[in-house]
Amino acid sequence: MRVLVVEDERRMAAALRRGLQAEGFVVDLAHDGEDGLHAARHGEYDVMVLDIMLPRISGYNVCKQLRAEENWVPILMLSAKDGEYDMADGLDLGADDYLTKPFSYVVLVARLRALLRRGAHRRPSVLRAGDLALDPARRRVTRGETPVELTPREFALLEFLIRHHDEVVSKTEILEHVWDTFDTDPNVVEVYVGYLRRKIDVPFSRNALQTVRGAGYRLAGDGG
């Protein structure tokens, strides 16, 4: 398995290379964000270890740029920044895991192997259906360039629908995932679908949020 390690502390980078090679990995090194971004774009890597505090381009921006380009190489962020918001930022930008320094080498290898088992599946940080975009981290929805203001419940409903775009989802499924209950009157789903449709479709003369009679609802993947 081929690993790209992007780490500006050269002694640590060399130690990581030796250790991972001993585990059977093929390891390439980059010592700043720009070189790491170039390597990730042009190399065929199975997994990437990415420091955050890098010269030229930060690890956050490397991760953000790769995901924007639909490069889904699994990324383990490695950083001395151990705050919960630092970790949340890394994961929200598209990283798959986050490990703080100092770290256990055994745990690092185990986490890399776990990422390799999952593979490089598509997992964008911004969800899209045509020109309808939802950013879960920033709690932001836009239709083209126009911001769309949603209540928390409307946002949760749209997030569920856009994650399952082009699929028919029933009222029961929506209640389970958006309301986290089966006890709520199913008609509340119909009410909130109406609210949502009046915000994401009607002002834009679109028909993305569709009712499938007798089955549930479907959000068109092309944005309607």
Side-chain angles (χ1 to χ4, degrees), residues 122-177:
R122 178 182 174 87
R123 44 194 178 277
S125 55
V126 177
L127 308 175
R128 299 184 185 277
D131 66 347
L132 180 63
L134 181 147
D135 186 335
R138 292 168 178 78
R139 310 295 293 179
R140 186 169 183 263
V141 174
T142 55
R143 176 67 100 163
E145 299 299 320
T146 305
V148 179
E149 297 297 327
L150 300 181
T151 67
R153 187 72 72 185
E154 291 165 353
F155 187 95
L157 174 58
L158 179 59
E159 182 174 358
F160 178 71
L161 291 169
I162 205 168
R163 287 186 184 277
H164 297 272
H165 64 78
D166 288 329
E167 299 177 19
V168 177
V169 292
S170 67
K171 287 183 179 180
T172 300
E173 289 175 293
I174 293 172
L175 283 175
E176 179 183 2
H177 291 276

Side-chain angles (χ1 to χ4, degrees), residues 11 24 58-59 81 85 89 105 124 151 156 166 186 222:
R11 290 179 62 184
S58 74
K81 301 178 72 172
Y85 289 104
D89 286 343
Y105 183 74
T151 67
D166 288 329
D222 63 2

